[in-house]
Each structure stands twice: as structure tokens, then as C-alpha cells.
Coordinates of all heavy atoms in Angstrom, one line a residue:
M1 N -125.7 36.5 40.4 CA -125.6 35.5 41.4 C -126.4 34.3 41.3 O -125.7 33.1 41.3 CB -125.8 36.2 42.7 CG -125.2 35.4 44.0 SD -126.1 34.0 44.4 CE -127.4 34.6 45.5
P2 N -127.7 34.4 41.0 CA -128.4 33.2 40.8 C -127.9 32.2 39.7 O -127.9 31.0 39.9 CB -129.8 33.7 40.5 CG -129.8 35.1 41.0 CD -128.5 35.6 40.8
R3 N -127.5 32.9 38.6 CA -127.0 32.1 37.4 C -125.8 31.3 37.9 O -125.6 30.1 37.5 CB -126.7 32.9 36.2 CG -127.9 33.7 35.7 CD -128.9 32.7 35.0 NE -130.2 33.2 34.7 CZ -131.2 32.8 34.5 NH1 -131.3 31.4 34.4 NH2 -132.4 33.3 34.3
F4 N -125.0 31.9 38.6 CA -123.8 31.3 39.1 C -124.1 30.0 40.0 O -123.6 29.0 39.9 CB -122.9 32.3 40.0 CG -121.9 31.7 40.9 CD1 -120.7 31.2 40.4 CD2 -122.1 31.5 42.3 CE1 -119.8 30.6 41.2 CE2 -121.3 30.8 43.1 CZ -120.0 30.5 42.5
W5 N -125.1 30.3 40.8 CA -125.6 29.2 41.8 C -126.2 28.0 40.9 O -125.9 26.9 41.4 CB -126.7 29.8 42.7 CG -127.3 28.7 43.6 CD1 -128.6 28.4 43.6 CD2 -126.7 27.9 44.5 NE1 -128.8 27.4 44.6 CE2 -127.7 27.1 45.1 CE3 -125.4 27.8 45.0 CZ2 -127.3 26.2 46.1 CZ3 -125.0 26.8 46.0 CH2 -126.1 26.0 46.5
Q6 N -126.9 28.3 39.8 CA -127.4 27.2 39.0 C -126.2 26.5 38.4 O -126.2 25.2 38.3 CB -128.3 27.8 37.9 CG -129.6 28.2 38.4 CD -130.5 28.8 37.2 OE1 -130.0 29.3 36.3 NE2 -131.7 28.8 37.5
R7 N -125.3 27.2 37.9 CA -124.1 26.5 37.3 C -123.3 25.6 38.3 O -123.0 24.5 38.1 CB -123.1 27.5 36.6 CG -123.6 27.9 35.3 CD -122.4 28.6 34.5 NE -121.9 29.8 35.2 CZ -122.4 30.9 35.0 NH1 -123.3 31.1 34.1 NH2 -121.9 32.0 35.6
L8 N -123.1 26.2 39.5 CA -122.4 25.5 40.5 C -123.2 24.2 40.9 O -122.7 23.2 41.1 CB -122.3 26.4 41.8 CG -121.6 25.8 42.9 CD1 -120.0 25.6 42.7 CD2 -121.7 26.6 44.2
T9 N -124.5 24.3 41.0 CA -125.4 23.2 41.4 C -125.3 22.1 40.4 O -125.3 21.0 40.6 CB -126.9 23.6 41.7 OG1 -126.8 24.7 42.5 CG2 -127.7 22.6 42.2
Q10 N -125.4 22.6 39.1 CA -125.3 21.7 38.0 C -124.0 20.9 38.0 O -123.9 19.7 37.6 CB -125.6 22.4 36.6 CG -127.0 22.8 36.5 CD -127.3 23.4 35.1 OE1 -126.7 24.2 34.7 NE2 -128.3 22.8 34.4
K11 N -123.0 21.5 38.4 CA -121.7 21.0 38.4 C -121.5 19.9 39.4 O -120.9 18.9 39.3 CB -120.6 22.0 38.6 CG -119.4 21.9 37.7 CD -118.4 23.2 37.9 CE -118.5 24.1 36.8 NZ -117.6 25.3 36.9
L12 N -122.2 20.1 40.6 CA -122.2 19.2 41.8 C -123.1 18.0 41.6 O -122.9 17.0 42.2 CB -122.5 20.0 43.0 CG -121.5 21.1 43.4 CD1 -122.0 21.9 44.6 CD2 -120.1 20.5 43.8
M13 N -124.1 18.3 40.8 CA -125.1 17.2 40.6 C -124.7 16.1 39.6 O -124.2 16.6 38.5 CB -126.4 17.8 40.2 CG -127.0 18.7 41.3 SD -127.7 17.7 42.6 CE -128.3 19.0 43.7
P14 N -124.9 14.9 39.8 CA -124.7 13.8 38.9 C -125.5 13.9 37.5 O -125.0 13.6 36.5 CB -125.0 12.5 39.5 CG -125.9 12.9 40.6 CD -125.5 14.3 41.0
D15 N -126.6 14.5 37.6 CA -127.5 14.7 36.5 C -128.0 16.1 36.3 O -129.1 16.5 36.8 CB -128.7 13.7 36.6 CG -129.5 13.5 35.3 OD1 -129.2 14.3 34.4 OD2 -130.3 12.6 35.2
P16 N -127.3 17.0 35.6 CA -127.7 18.4 35.6 C -129.0 18.6 35.0 O -129.8 19.5 35.3 CB -126.6 19.0 34.7 CG -125.4 18.0 34.9 CD -126.0 16.7 35.1
D17 N -129.3 17.8 33.8 CA -130.6 18.0 33.2 C -131.8 17.6 34.1 O -132.8 18.3 34.0 CB -130.7 17.0 32.0 CG -129.7 17.4 31.0 OD1 -129.2 18.5 30.9 OD2 -129.3 16.6 30.1
A18 N -131.6 16.7 35.0 CA -132.6 16.4 36.0 C -132.9 17.6 37.0 O -134.0 17.8 37.3 CB -132.3 15.2 36.7
V19 N -131.8 18.2 37.3 CA -131.8 19.4 38.2 C -132.6 20.5 37.6 O -133.5 21.1 38.2 CB -130.4 19.9 38.6 CG1 -130.6 21.1 39.4 CG2 -129.7 18.9 39.4
E20 N -132.4 20.7 36.2 CA -133.2 21.8 35.6 C -134.5 21.4 35.4 O -135.5 22.2 35.6 CB -132.5 22.1 34.2 CG -133.3 23.2 33.5 CD -132.6 23.6 32.2 OE1 -131.4 23.3 31.9 OE2 -133.4 24.2 31.5
A21 N -134.8 20.2 35.1 CA -136.2 19.7 34.8 C -137.0 19.8 36.1 O -138.1 20.2 36.1 CB -136.2 18.2 34.3
E22 N -136.4 19.4 37.2 CA -137.0 19.4 38.5 C -137.4 20.8 38.9 O -138.4 21.2 39.4 CB -136.2 18.7 39.6 CG -136.7 18.6 41.0 CD -137.8 17.6 41.1 OE1 -138.0 16.8 40.3 OE2 -138.6 17.8 42.0
S23 N -136.4 21.7 38.8 CA -136.5 23.0 39.2 C -137.5 23.8 38.3 O -138.3 24.7 38.8 CB -135.2 23.9 39.0 OG -134.2 23.3 39.8
R24 N -137.7 23.4 37.0 CA -138.8 24.1 36.2 C -140.2 23.7 36.7 O -141.2 24.3 36.2 CB -138.6 23.6 34.8 CG -137.4 24.3 34.0 CD -137.3 24.1 32.6 NE -136.2 24.7 32.0 CZ -136.1 26.0 31.6 NH1 -137.3 26.7 31.8 NH2 -135.1 26.4 31.1
K25 N -140.3 22.7 37.5 CA -141.7 22.3 38.0 C -142.1 23.3 39.1 O -143.2 23.1 39.6 CB -141.6 20.8 38.5 CG -141.5 19.8 37.3 CD -141.5 18.4 37.9 CE -141.1 17.4 36.9 NZ -140.8 16.1 37.5
W26 N -141.3 24.0 39.6 CA -141.6 24.9 40.7 C -141.9 26.3 40.3 O -141.3 26.8 39.4 CB -140.5 25.0 41.7 CG -140.2 23.6 42.4 CD1 -139.5 22.5 41.9 CD2 -140.7 23.2 43.7 NE1 -139.6 21.5 42.7 CE2 -140.3 21.9 43.9 CE3 -141.5 23.8 44.6 CZ2 -140.7 21.2 45.1 CZ3 -141.8 23.2 45.8 CH2 -141.3 21.8 46.0
Q27 N -143.0 26.9 41.0 CA -143.3 28.3 40.7 C -143.1 29.1 41.9 O -143.2 28.6 43.1 CB -144.8 28.3 40.4 CG -145.2 27.8 39.0 CD -145.1 28.6 37.9 OE1 -144.3 28.4 37.0 NE2 -145.8 29.7 38.0
I28 N -142.8 30.4 41.7 CA -142.7 31.4 42.8 C -143.9 32.3 42.7 O -144.1 32.9 41.6 CB -141.5 32.2 42.8 CG1 -140.2 31.4 42.6 CG2 -141.3 33.2 43.9 CD1 -138.9 32.2 42.4
T29 N -144.7 32.3 43.6 CA -145.9 33.2 43.7 C -145.9 34.2 44.7 O -145.5 33.9 45.9 CB -147.2 32.4 43.8 OG1 -147.2 31.4 42.8 CG2 -148.5 33.3 43.7
C30 N -146.0 35.5 44.4 CA -146.0 36.6 45.4 C -147.3 36.5 46.2 O -148.4 36.4 45.7 CB -146.0 38.0 44.6 SG -146.0 39.3 45.8
K31 N -147.2 36.5 47.5 CA -148.3 36.5 48.4 C -149.1 37.7 48.4 O -150.3 37.7 48.8 CB -147.9 36.2 49.9 CG -147.3 34.6 49.9 CD -147.0 34.3 51.4 CE -146.6 32.9 51.5 NZ -146.3 32.4 52.9
T32 N -148.5 38.9 48.0 CA -149.2 40.1 48.0 C -150.0 40.4 46.8 O -151.2 40.6 46.7 CB -148.2 41.3 48.2 OG1 -147.5 41.0 49.3 CG2 -149.0 42.7 48.3
C33 N -149.4 40.2 45.6 CA -150.1 40.5 44.3 C -150.5 39.3 43.4 O -151.3 39.3 42.5 CB -149.2 41.5 43.4 SG -147.8 40.7 42.7
G34 N -150.0 38.1 43.9 CA -150.3 36.9 43.2 C -149.5 36.6 41.9 O -149.7 35.7 41.2
H35 N -148.5 37.5 41.7 CA -147.7 37.3 40.4 C -146.9 36.0 40.6 O -146.2 35.8 41.6 CB -146.8 38.5 40.3 CG -145.9 38.4 39.2 ND1 -146.3 38.6 37.8 CD2 -144.6 38.1 39.1 CE1 -145.2 38.4 37.0 NE2 -144.0 38.0 37.7
S36 N -147.0 35.2 39.4 CA -146.3 34.0 39.4 C -145.2 34.0 38.4 O -145.3 34.4 37.2 CB -147.4 32.9 39.1 OG -147.3 31.9 40.0
R37 N -144.1 33.2 38.7 CA -143.1 33.1 37.7 C -142.4 31.8 38.0 O -142.5 31.2 39.1 CB -142.1 34.3 37.7 CG -141.2 34.4 39.0 CD -140.7 35.8 39.1 NE -140.5 36.1 40.6 CZ -139.2 36.4 41.0 NH1 -138.2 36.5 40.2 NH2 -139.2 36.7 42.3
N38 N -141.7 31.2 36.9 CA -141.0 30.0 37.1 C -139.8 30.1 37.8 O -138.9 31.0 37.7 CB -140.8 29.5 35.7 CG -140.2 28.0 35.8 OD1 -139.0 27.8 35.7 ND2 -141.1 27.1 35.8
L39 N -139.6 29.3 38.8 CA -138.4 29.2 39.7 C -137.1 29.2 38.9 O -136.2 30.0 39.2 CB -138.4 28.1 40.7 CG -137.2 27.9 41.6 CD1 -137.1 29.1 42.6 CD2 -137.2 26.6 42.3
W40 N -137.0 28.3 38.0 CA -135.8 28.2 37.2 C -135.5 29.4 36.4 O -134.3 29.9 36.3 CB -135.8 27.0 36.2 CG -134.6 26.7 35.4 CD1 -134.4 27.2 34.1 CD2 -133.3 26.2 35.9 NE1 -133.1 26.9 33.8 CE2 -132.4 26.2 34.8 CE3 -133.0 25.5 37.0 CZ2 -131.2 25.7 34.9 CZ3 -131.7 25.1 37.2 CH2 -130.9 25.1 36.0
E41 N -136.6 30.0 35.8 CA -136.4 31.3 35.0 C -135.9 32.4 35.9 O -135.3 33.4 35.5 CB -137.8 31.6 34.3 CG -138.2 30.6 33.4 CD -137.3 30.4 32.1 OE1 -136.7 31.3 31.7 OE2 -137.3 29.3 31.5
A42 N -136.4 32.3 37.1 CA -135.9 33.4 38.1 C -134.6 33.2 38.6 O -134.0 33.9 39.5 CB -137.0 33.5 39.2
G43 N -133.9 32.1 38.2 CA -132.5 31.8 38.6 C -132.4 31.0 39.9 O -131.4 30.8 40.5
G44 N -133.5 30.3 40.2 CA -133.5 29.4 41.4 C -133.4 27.9 41.0 O -133.4 27.5 39.9
V45 N -132.9 27.1 42.1 CA -132.8 25.7 41.9 C -133.4 25.0 43.1 O -133.4 25.5 44.3 CB -131.2 25.4 42.0 CG1 -131.1 23.8 42.0 CG2 -130.6 26.0 40.8
R46 N -134.2 24.0 42.7 CA -134.9 23.3 43.8 C -135.0 21.8 43.2 O -135.4 21.4 42.1 CB -136.4 23.8 44.0 CG -136.9 23.3 45.4 CD -137.8 24.4 45.9 NE -138.6 23.9 47.0 CZ -138.2 23.8 48.2 NH1 -137.0 24.1 48.6 NH2 -139.2 23.2 49.2
Y47 N -134.3 20.9 44.0 CA -134.2 19.5 43.6 C -134.4 18.5 44.7 O -134.0 18.8 45.8 CB -132.7 19.3 43.1 CG -132.5 18.0 42.4 CD1 -133.2 17.6 41.3 CD2 -131.5 17.2 42.9 CE1 -133.0 16.4 40.7 CE2 -131.3 15.9 42.2 CZ -132.0 15.5 41.2 OH -131.7 14.3 40.6
K48 N -135.3 17.5 44.4 CA -135.7 16.5 45.5 C -136.3 17.1 46.6 O -136.0 16.8 47.7 CB -134.6 15.6 45.7 CG -134.0 14.7 44.5 CD -133.3 13.5 45.1 CE -132.8 12.7 43.9 NZ -133.7 12.1 43.0
A49 N -137.1 18.2 46.5 CA -137.7 18.9 47.5 C -139.2 18.5 47.5 O -139.8 18.2 46.5 CB -137.5 20.3 47.4
K50 N -139.9 18.6 48.7 CA -141.3 18.3 48.8 C -142.0 19.5 49.5 O -141.4 20.2 50.2 CB -141.5 17.0 49.7 CG -141.3 15.8 48.8 CD -141.5 14.5 49.7 CE -141.2 13.3 48.9 NZ -141.0 12.1 49.7
G51 N -143.3 19.6 49.2 CA -144.1 20.6 49.8 C -143.8 21.9 49.3 O -143.1 22.2 48.4
S52 N -144.3 23.0 49.9 CA -144.1 24.4 49.6 C -143.4 25.1 50.7 O -143.5 24.6 51.9 CB -145.3 25.0 49.1 OG -146.2 25.1 50.3
K53 N -142.8 26.2 50.4 CA -142.2 27.0 51.5 C -142.3 28.4 51.2 O -142.5 28.9 50.1 CB -140.6 26.5 51.7 CG -139.8 26.9 50.5 CD -138.3 26.8 50.9 CE -137.3 27.6 50.0 NZ -136.1 27.7 50.5
S54 N -142.0 29.2 52.2 CA -142.1 30.7 52.2 C -140.7 31.2 52.1 O -139.8 30.7 52.7 CB -142.9 31.2 53.3 OG -144.2 31.0 53.1
S55 N -140.6 32.3 51.3 CA -139.3 32.9 51.1 C -139.4 34.4 51.0 O -140.5 34.8 50.4 CB -138.5 32.3 49.9 OG -137.4 33.0 49.7
Y56 N -138.7 35.1 51.5 CA -138.7 36.6 51.4 C -137.7 37.1 50.3 O -136.6 36.8 50.4 CB -138.3 37.2 52.7 CG -138.8 38.7 52.9 CD1 -140.1 39.1 52.9 CD2 -137.8 39.7 53.0 CE1 -140.4 40.4 53.0 CE2 -138.2 41.0 53.1 CZ -139.5 41.3 53.2 OH -139.9 42.6 53.2
G57 N -138.4 37.6 49.2 CA -137.5 38.1 48.1 C -138.2 39.1 47.3 O -139.3 39.5 47.5
P58 N -137.4 39.5 46.2 CA -138.0 40.6 45.3 C -139.1 40.1 44.4 O -139.0 39.0 43.9 CB -136.7 41.0 44.5 CG -135.8 39.8 44.6 CD -136.1 39.2 45.9
C59 N -140.1 40.9 44.3 CA -141.3 40.6 43.4 C -141.1 41.6 42.2 O -141.3 42.8 42.5 CB -142.5 40.6 44.0 SG -144.0 40.6 42.8
P60 N -141.0 41.1 41.0 CA -140.9 42.0 39.8 C -142.2 42.9 39.6 O -142.2 44.0 39.2 CB -140.6 41.1 38.6 CG -141.1 39.8 39.1 CD -140.9 39.7 40.6
E61 N -143.3 42.3 40.0 CA -144.6 43.0 39.8 C -144.7 44.1 40.9 O -145.1 45.2 40.5 CB -145.7 42.0 39.9 CG -147.1 42.5 39.5 CD -147.2 42.7 37.9 OE1 -146.2 42.2 37.2 OE2 -148.1 43.4 37.5
C62 N -144.5 43.8 42.1 CA -144.6 44.7 43.2 C -143.4 45.8 43.1 O -143.5 46.9 43.7 CB -144.5 44.1 44.5 SG -146.0 43.1 44.9
G63 N -142.2 45.3 42.6 CA -141.0 46.2 42.6 C -140.5 46.3 43.9 O -139.6 47.3 44.0
R64 N -140.7 45.4 44.8 CA -140.0 45.5 46.1 C -140.0 44.1 46.8 O -140.7 43.2 46.1 CB -140.8 46.5 47.0 CG -142.3 46.2 47.0 CD -142.9 47.1 48.2 NE -142.5 46.7 49.4 CZ -142.9 47.3 50.6 NH1 -143.8 48.3 50.6 NH2 -142.4 46.9 51.7
K65 N -139.5 44.0 47.8 CA -139.4 42.6 48.5 C -140.8 42.2 49.2 O -141.4 43.1 49.7 CB -138.3 42.6 49.5 CG -136.9 42.5 48.9 CD -135.9 42.0 49.9 CE -134.6 41.7 49.2 NZ -133.6 41.1 50.2
R66 N -141.1 41.0 48.9 CA -142.4 40.5 49.4 C -142.3 39.1 50.0 O -141.3 38.5 49.7 CB -143.4 40.4 48.3 CG -143.8 41.8 47.6 CD -144.6 42.6 48.8 NE -145.3 43.7 48.0 CZ -145.9 44.7 48.7 NH1 -145.8 44.8 49.9 NH2 -146.5 45.7 48.0
W67 N -143.2 38.6 50.6 CA -143.3 37.2 51.0 C -143.8 36.4 49.7 O -144.8 36.7 49.1 CB -144.2 36.9 52.2 CG -143.5 37.2 53.4 CD1 -143.7 38.3 54.2 CD2 -142.5 36.5 54.2 NE1 -142.9 38.3 55.4 CE2 -142.2 37.1 55.3 CE3 -141.9 35.3 53.7 CZ2 -141.1 36.6 56.2 CZ3 -140.9 34.8 54.6 CH2 -140.5 35.5 55.7
L68 N -143.0 35.4 49.4 CA -143.3 34.6 48.3 C -143.5 33.2 48.6 O -142.9 32.7 49.6 CB -142.0 34.7 47.3 CG -141.4 36.0 47.0 CD1 -140.1 35.8 46.4 CD2 -142.3 36.8 46.1
R69 N -144.3 32.5 47.9 CA -144.5 31.0 48.2 C -143.9 30.3 47.1 O -144.2 30.6 45.8 CB -146.1 30.8 48.1 CG -146.5 29.4 48.8 CD -147.9 29.3 49.0 NE -148.7 29.2 47.8 CZ -149.1 28.0 47.3 NH1 -148.7 26.9 47.9 NH2 -149.7 28.0 46.2
I70 N -143.1 29.3 47.4 CA -142.4 28.5 46.4 C -143.2 27.2 46.4 O -143.2 26.6 47.5 CB -140.9 28.3 46.7 CG1 -140.3 29.7 46.6 CG2 -140.3 27.4 45.7 CD1 -138.8 29.6 47.2
H71 N -143.8 26.8 45.3 CA -144.6 25.6 45.3 C -144.5 24.9 43.9 O -144.2 25.5 43.0 CB -146.1 26.0 45.5 CG -146.6 26.9 44.6 ND1 -147.5 26.6 43.6 CD2 -146.4 28.3 44.4 CE1 -147.7 27.6 42.9 NE2 -147.1 28.7 43.3
K72 N -144.9 23.7 44.0 CA -144.9 22.8 42.7 C -146.0 23.2 41.8 O -147.1 23.6 42.4 CB -144.9 21.4 43.0 CG -143.5 20.7 42.8 CD -143.6 19.2 42.8 CE -142.2 18.7 42.2 NZ -142.0 17.4 42.5
V73 N -145.8 23.3 40.5 CA -146.8 23.6 39.5 C -148.1 22.7 39.6 O -149.2 23.3 39.5 CB -146.2 23.5 38.1 CG1 -147.3 23.9 37.2 CG2 -145.0 24.4 38.0
S74 N -147.9 21.6 40.0 CA -149.0 20.6 40.2 C -149.9 20.8 41.4 O -150.9 20.2 41.6 CB -148.6 19.2 40.1 OG -147.6 19.0 41.2
D75 N -149.4 21.8 42.3 CA -150.2 22.1 43.5 C -151.5 22.5 43.2 O -151.8 23.3 42.5 CB -149.4 23.1 44.3 CG -148.4 22.4 45.3 OD1 -148.2 21.1 45.2 OD2 -147.8 23.1 46.0
Ligands
LIG101 ZN1 -145.9 41.0 44.1

């Protein structure tokens, strides 16, 4: 599903490379174990967004759903 979403978003965006480059600047960090992974690698898309946000989703390290923080790498 996430890969499909990435392709769809890229199709809708005027500059698909910019969407990927922007998405790669974001990290997903598990609030429970601190495990970090790249948003784009995880199948996510984030473009022209600011600040960080919380999301509830699966953590590969915990092996279950956790509260995750989505934030820019430069944070
Ligand atoms: Zn975790």
C-alpha cells in the first residue's frame, strides 16, 4: 500500500524528484524504543510540511503498534 501511495503522489506532483528528496529528510522515531528509520524508506511521503507530528503505527523494533514521532532530520 505505501509504495502505491508514493507512486500516486509522484504522479500528482509536478516534480516527483523533489517529493522524494523532501520525504527523505524526514525520520520516523518510535517514542517507546527510540528506533529511527527514514520516512521515505518506510514508504511514507511528506512534502512541504513543517514541524513534527505524532502518528500511531507499526514499529519494526517493537514488533507492534506504537506512537511514532515524524520529524525532520535537521531537528
Ligand atoms: Zn519501537
Side-chain angles (χ1 to χ4, degrees):
M1 197 285 274
R3 295 291 165 196
F4 164 78
W5 176 240
Q6 284 181 339
R7 276 198 299 272
L8 180 72
T9 308
Q10 284 186 308
K11 225 173 257 181
L12 296 173
M13 294 288 180
D15 193 349
D17 290 342
V19 174
E20 179 174 346
E22 180 75 19
S23 298
R24 283 187 184 279
K25 290 179 188 168
W26 292 82
Q27 291 274 121
I28 307 173
T29 302
C30 174
K31 290 186 179 185
T32 304
C33 71
H35 177 75
S36 228
R37 64 202 156 118
N38 188 268
L39 175 68
W40 181 262
E41 300 294 335
V45 171
R46 201 149 162 80
Y47 187 57
K48 294 206 186 291
K50 279 177 187 163
S52 59
K53 69 165 198 168
S54 289
S55 175
Y56 194 65
C59 169
E61 193 69 17
C62 296
R64 54 172 293 182
K65 287 198 167 184
R66 294 293 198 193
W67 278 106
L68 312 164
R69 196 167 74 93
I70 300 172
H71 59 103
K72 255 195 166 158
V73 178
S74 55
D75 273 5

